[in-house]
Amino acid sequence: MRAWHGLEEVPRDWGRSVVTIGVFDGVHRGHQAIVRTAVERAGELGLPVVVVTFEPHPDAVVRGGEPPAVLTPEPRKTELLAECGADAVCVLPFTAELSRLSADDFVRRVLVEGLGAAAVVVGEDFRFGHRAAGTVETLRELGEKYDFAAEGLPLVAGADTVTSTRIRATLEGGDVEGARLELGRPHRVEGVVVHGAARGRELLGFPTANLDHPAGTAVPADGVYAGRMLLRDAEPGTDAVWPAAISVGTNPTFEGAARTVEGYALDRDDLALYGRPMAMEFTHRIRGQLRFDSVEELIEAMARDVDRARELAAES
């Protein structure tokens, strides 16, 4: 897998390719279907597949203000796109200048001159160029002009169409099971394990890993979840994945204010995790966040949560 940040990193002798374009945040089932189709077209033509994506999210530039919460940070996105069969990912810095390119200029500079597109595969709702004036039909017309085939695919639908926006809303409601169905895998939050208040180990009897994740990460609603903890820097073949009970929230029993993500690796109190990159995956919601009148009540609730997480881990 090749990863390029900007067209200037694309090798000059790269040649022609099959290209697909989008933000691809989440790399959900709809995105996966688009990339798989691009891989099929590439196989027919004997060419590599290049996925073009953008950082930051275009909405942050075009609309201003805070961008949507991030479902998959860039390294994880690239990893998932590689699993779908992409040969290269080209991350374009989304700037005001890029947003002002006409549809024709975008196609010529990025797809034709930059990546040598022989075919372009996108979702049927794909829009591009200044003020999003370009549509799939525009892309087909420009393909005739610049000698590439263009294909717009129907969006993947379940009860409703799968979109990154919908998945964010699902997570905001705490429905991690629903998000898992639409993503095709559990939602993951990544970061570095940092020191917290140490209550889990010293007071409560459940030592937790406090995850310091990037601002703007899509985090499920406050509550307790079952899932997994995955150490991201572990050597191959070593113990690095553990079923877990994961708490999201402000620790209201202790009058907390900061929102945290903390995971307890079930039945493990021997893990050295501080300073290490960690991912936490959310598979089931156990309960919402509660404030308890005493530490004893909190410990009893945590024991029940851990028992339930253990049951769910055994079922999966």
Side-chain angles (χ1 to χ4, degrees):
M1 155 65 73
R2 300 182 181 222
W4 304 316
H5 289 80
L7 293 173
E8 63 276 5
E9 293 190 6
V10 180
R12 294 190 178 184
D13 60 352
W14 176 249
R16 304 206 76 184
S17 56
V18 174
V19 181
T20 182
I21 321 163
V23 178
F24 291 105
D25 188 26
V27 194
H28 56 59
R29 291 191 301 115
H31 297 145
Q32 294 164 30
I34 292 170
V35 178
R36 283 196 301 268
T37 300
V39 170
E40 291 173 7
R41 301 294 174 266
E44 295 164 2
L45 297 171
L47 296 173
V49 173
V50 180
V51 178
V52 176
T53 185
F54 306 96
E55 291 287 343
H57 195 290
D59 283 357
V61 176
V62 175
R63 299 179 183 177
E66 290 294 321
V70 175
L71 296 169
T72 44
E74 184 188 316
R76 176 63 173 160
K77 185 192 299 186
T78 297
E79 183 180 278
L80 291 168
L81 291 170
E83 291 176 5
C84 292
D87 297 291
V89 174
C90 183
V91 181
L92 293 184
F94 198 89
T95 62
E97 178 184 3
L98 183 66
S99 75
R100 288 193 289 266
L101 289 181
S102 68
D104 191 300
D105 283 343
F106 178 86
V107 164
R108 177 176 54 81
R109 295 188 191 182
V110 175
L111 301 183
V112 180
E113 297 174 357
L115 298 169
V120 180
V121 180
V122 294
E124 63 184 1
D125 63 342
F126 178 66
R127 305 297 293 265
F128 65 105
H130 187 51
R131 298 187 182 277
T135 64
V136 172
E137 184 56 38
T138 309
L139 193 62
R140 291 194 182 100
E141 293 170 358
L142 291 170
E144 293 178 4
K145 177 178 178 179
Y146 291 112
D147 189 29
F148 64 81
E151 184 175 356
L153 302 181
L155 303 180
V156 169
D160 293 286
T161 301
V162 178
T163 67
S164 300
T165 299
R166 177 177 167 81
I167 293 169
R168 291 186 194 99
T170 300
L171 291 169
E172 287 173 4
D175 182 8
V176 295
E177 294 94 332
R180 179 173 53 173
L181 290 173
E182 299 192 335
L183 288 167
R185 63 182 186 282
H187 176 62
R188 176 182 290 193
V189 174
E190 297 190 10
V192 175
V193 178
V194 297
H195 289 276
R199 295 191 194 99
R201 180 179 298 276
E202 298 175 4
L203 179 64
L204 305 175
F206 298 99
T208 59
N210 192 344
L211 194 67
D212 182 21
H213 54 80
T217 298
V219 176
D222 292 354
V224 178
Y225 299 85
R228 300 195 306 167
M229 293 166 53
L230 304 91
L231 200 57
R232 297 285 285 163
D233 66 349
E235 294 294 329
T238 60
D239 184 22
V241 181
W242 308 282
I246 306 169
S247 173
V248 178
T250 57
N251 296 306
T253 301
F254 297 99
E255 307 297 339
R259 192 167 186 246
T260 63
V261 178
E262 301 177 68
Y264 166 61
L266 301 183
D267 305 313
R268 299 295 297 267
D269 60 3
D270 58 338
L271 301 176
L273 302 176
Y274 290 121
R276 303 186 70 179
M278 173 73 71
M280 296 191 187
E281 291 185 342
F282 297 78
T283 58
H284 301 83
R285 183 173 172 88
I286 295 175
R287 63 170 173 85
Q289 178 177 259
L290 299 172
R291 184 187 185 283
F292 297 93
D293 292 331
S294 68
V295 171
E296 290 73 22
E297 287 184 14
L298 172 59
I299 292 173
E300 291 174 3
M302 292 177 69
R304 292 192 296 270
D305 297 337
V306 167
D307 286 343
R308 182 56 181 151
R310 194 180 289 111
E311 292 171 359
L312 291 166
E315 293 171 5
S316 61

